[in-house]
Amino acid sequence: CCRHGVKQPRNPWFDGPEFITQCPIRPRTNFTYKIILSEEIGTLWWHAHSDWTRGSVHGAIVILPAENETYPFPTPDGEQTIILESWYNGNFKKIIDKALAAGTPPPQPDAYAINGHLGDTYGCPTDTIFRMEVDYEKTYLLRIINAAMNEQQFFTIMNHTLTVVAVDASYVRRFKTDYILISPGQTMDVLVSANRNAGQYYMATRPFSDSDVPPVDFITTGIFQYTNFVGGSNASLITLPAMNNTDAMLNFISRIRNTNVTQNPPINVPGDTDINRRVFITLAVNDLPCKNSKCVVSDGFAASLNNVSFVYPHIDVLQAYYSRNIRGVFAENFPFLPPEFYDFTGNLTGVVSAVEVGTRAICVNYGDAVEIVLQSTQMGAGGSHPIHLHGYSFYWVGAGFGNFNGETDPSTYNLVDPPLMNTIDVPGTGWVAIRFFANNPGVWYMHCHFERHTSWGMSTVLIVRNGSTIETSIRPRPSTMPRCHRT
């Protein structure tokens, strides 16, 4: 299991992704994780990190202010965790195994859920709707987690204003909004005041997509219910942005800014002259010959970073790296530039990019100031990609549409108050730039949080080499780590 967004300083052993930092926990055995919190505050989550099992094996991590601290806003009267989920009428593991064997995309979800409830839009019994009971004139902190498998989600509470206060366990400059947009893997802390006429109001969620192959456009409902009110809903109409409303997406994410409060770590953005490791990565969905005996197509799906489609080894990368005597598990030669340049977000007629499969890692030195530019391409169906980096929160310093221009686009970076995040959405026809200091030694997974893309290989590994001291090096390997098969 993965503690999503927990940095685990010097402690990659308990980070969780199978075949990256550990081998899977074997049937009828157990493994105890040691979680080390550092700068995180607010809401994170944990989930299984084996195939698609995270779809049903997940939960919240709530990090309260320290005993001598308060919230950087008036203390709420109550709080509620809201987990947005994909609902399949089937076993997650069997669904992805069947699709990978056949070389076909996995099916669309049968529904979306709020805290495991499907709401009243699918023809289900009314007792399947999630209800949050509130008192008039009280303020509540919503801890919202997008645990959906492949869908960004809009979320709203009808006739109520939401105030965003934190993203990915870091406080942001507060802003009011009618809706939020949250990507798979992200968490958001949101205040809402029960200051309307007593009644029942819909909370609702629906997907956002800028892909040529969008998710199924279901709206899922819950109820924001004032105490002791027994009448019907006060909000018969649900108003959410349309699924393909990119303006609504941009209007929301452009308002996210860091805030210089004492509860946050001091803003420490690597400056232009600090950067000594630059990586430019293209994201694509590609084809590969399907060689499985169960294939129903000649070409199956692959996904890639810089045309490298990640292959999970049979021994975890961390063990191989740490031990130094296990050879052939991974290569330290992930390309820092794409193998070819073309109009990534334009017409791809005539562009044929070969895909290489392998286990290749990005390697940097302890203390490096790193900039990574993530560039979407129109390969496959295009569309956005929520990219998550384990072991780090990074500063989201820049974004734009079209092809990244290394000479002019850095002048648009926000180096003053960029948000500190662990999952960033790369727009389907654009790019984002992130920066961070490589001050957490270890082996850290970087991958798309659309689970189908991770299954197809849109992943890599960031290895931050040890520093020169014990305090800047990976902690010793615990003796309780799960054993790999045939070892």
Side-chain angles (χ1 to χ4, degrees):
C1 282
C2 160
R3 267 66 36 221
H4 183 111
V6 177
K7 299 180 183 69
Q8 294 278 32
R10 302 175 44 229
N11 192 37
W13 304 107
F14 297 107
D15 189 45
E18 69 173 357
F19 299 117
I20 306 298
T21 59
Q22 67 170 85
C23 284
I25 303 169
R26 295 183 177 187
R28 296 179 295 278
T29 68
N30 62 74
F31 179 59
T32 301
Y33 289 91
K34 179 179 180 181
I35 300 175
I36 301 176
L37 297 173
S38 52
E39 300 171 335
E40 305 88 350
I41 184 68
T43 306
L44 291 171
W45 64 304
W46 61 269
H47 61 81
H49 222 302
S50 174
D51 297 304
W52 277 34
T53 51
R54 78 165 176 85
S56 56
V57 183
H58 56 244
I61 298 175
V62 174
I63 307 162
L64 300 173
E67 291 185 3
N68 59 342
E69 289 186 347
T70 62
Y71 295 105
F73 45 81
T75 300
D77 299 294
E79 62 179 62
Q80 175 68 56
T81 298
I82 303 288
I83 303 182
L84 311 179
E85 299 153 311
S86 302
W87 180 282
Y88 284 83
N89 293 329
N91 180 289
F92 283 97
K93 180 74 166 69
K94 291 181 179 179
I95 287 169
I96 187 56
D97 284 351
K98 182 178 179 180
L100 291 176
T104 59
Q108 294 271 24
D110 297 291
Y112 304 120
I114 298 175
N115 284 359
H117 296 263
L118 302 185
D120 60 5
T121 59
Y122 299 97
C124 299
T126 56
D127 62 358
T128 64
I129 197 166
F130 170 73
R131 295 177 183 272
M132 176 182 172
E133 192 168 275
V134 298
D135 293 328
Y136 180 66
E137 292 192 336
K138 296 290 180 68
T139 297
Y140 296 86
L141 178 64
L142 306 183
R143 301 180 180 274
I144 304 174
I145 300 165
N146 187 350
M149 300 300 283
N150 297 292
E151 300 86 22
Q152 297 169 275
Q153 295 282 349
F154 289 117
F155 174 87
T156 190
I157 298 178
M158 297 307 306
N159 292 16
H160 289 73
T161 298
L162 307 177
T163 301
V164 179
V165 296
V167 176
D168 283 354
S170 178
Y171 291 122
V172 299
R173 189 185 305 166
R174 282 178 277 170
F175 65 93
K176 297 181 182 298
T177 180
D178 293 331
Y179 65 90
I180 66 167
L181 176 73
I182 183 168
S183 291
Q186 280 191 322
T187 61
M188 291 188 184
D189 291 3
V190 175
L191 294 174
V192 59
S193 293
N195 55 9
R196 309 295 290 187
N197 293 332
Q200 296 183 111
Y201 296 84
Y202 274 127
M203 61 175 65
T205 184
R206 83 177 319 164
F208 163 78
S209 176
D210 54 2
S211 169
D212 291 337
V213 183
V216 61
D217 189 14
F218 292 141
I219 291 178
T220 296
T221 55
I223 295 292
F224 190 75
Q225 179 170 320
Y226 284 65
T227 305
N228 298 327
F229 184 82
V230 295
S233 171
N234 286 12
S236 58
L237 296 178
I238 298 172
T239 56
L240 273 168
M243 182 173 68
N244 61 354
N245 192 333
T246 55
D247 288 338
M249 177 270 289
L250 290 171
N251 288 341
F252 177 79
I253 65 173
S254 65
R255 302 175 68 188
I256 302 174
R257 291 286 185 271
N258 208 319
T259 183
N260 191 20
V261 295
T262 57
Q263 294 90 340
N264 271 353
I267 298 176
N268 185 25
V269 187
D272 294 340
T273 58
D274 296 322
I275 301 297
N276 60 343
R277 185 64 67 194
R278 298 180 188 273
V279 189
F280 180 71
I281 301 177
T282 53
L283 296 76
V285 174
N286 316 90
D287 297 328
L288 274 179
C290 189
K291 300 178 180 179
N292 192 295
S293 61
K294 298 181 181 180
C295 288
V296 298
V297 293
S298 58
D299 287 331
F301 287 91
S304 65
L305 300 177
N306 277 353
N307 289 29
V308 179
S309 186
F310 189 83
V311 175
Y312 290 98
H314 296 293
I315 296 174
D316 61 281
V317 176
L318 175 57
Q319 181 182 171
Y321 172 76
Y322 186 83
S323 300
R324 294 294 183 185
N325 61 350
I326 304 175
R327 305 289 181 181
V329 174
F330 69 96
E332 298 185 9
N333 60 353
F334 182 89
F336 282 14
L337 292 171
E340 61 178 305
F341 283 79
Y342 52 90
D343 186 1
F344 300 119
T345 58
N347 188 336
L348 301 186
T349 301
V351 176
V352 179
S353 294
V355 179
E356 174 188 340
V357 295
T359 310
R360 301 173 65 176
I362 299 171
C363 295
V364 302
N365 293 323
Y366 180 88
D368 277 352
V370 180
E371 176 181 292
I372 300 178
V373 174
L374 298 159
Q375 171 76 61
S376 283
T377 74
Q378 291 301 296
M379 289 288 183
S384 300
H385 300 277
I387 301 297
H388 172 51
L389 175 60
H390 289 235
Y392 283 87
S393 289
F394 48 73
Y395 292 101
W396 172 32
V397 298
F401 287 96
N403 301 320
F404 176 74
N405 186 313
E407 294 185 1
T408 59
D409 283 331
S411 66
T412 68
Y413 285 0
N414 171 19
L415 303 181
V416 178
D417 58 356
L420 192 62
M421 309 170 80
N422 62 59
T423 303
I424 184 65
D425 184 62
V426 185
T429 56
W431 56 271
V432 299
I434 64 174
R435 288 184 175 183
F436 59 94
F437 287 103
N439 55 11
N440 190 11
V443 171
W444 307 107
Y445 196 30
M446 185 169 78
H447 62 99
C448 182
H449 230 278
F450 286 158
E451 210 67 12
R452 68 183 186 276
H453 291 171
T454 298
S455 300
W456 294 338
M458 192 175 286
S459 312
T460 188
V461 174
L462 173 70
I463 295 179
V464 179
R465 301 183 180 98
N466 284 340
S468 58
T469 66
I470 293 176
E471 291 74 19
T472 58
S473 300
I474 300 173
R475 298 171 191 266
R477 182 179 187 273
S479 60
T480 57
M481 297 300 296
R483 290 183 59 190
C484 298
H485 186 56
R486 294 194 297 266
T487 64

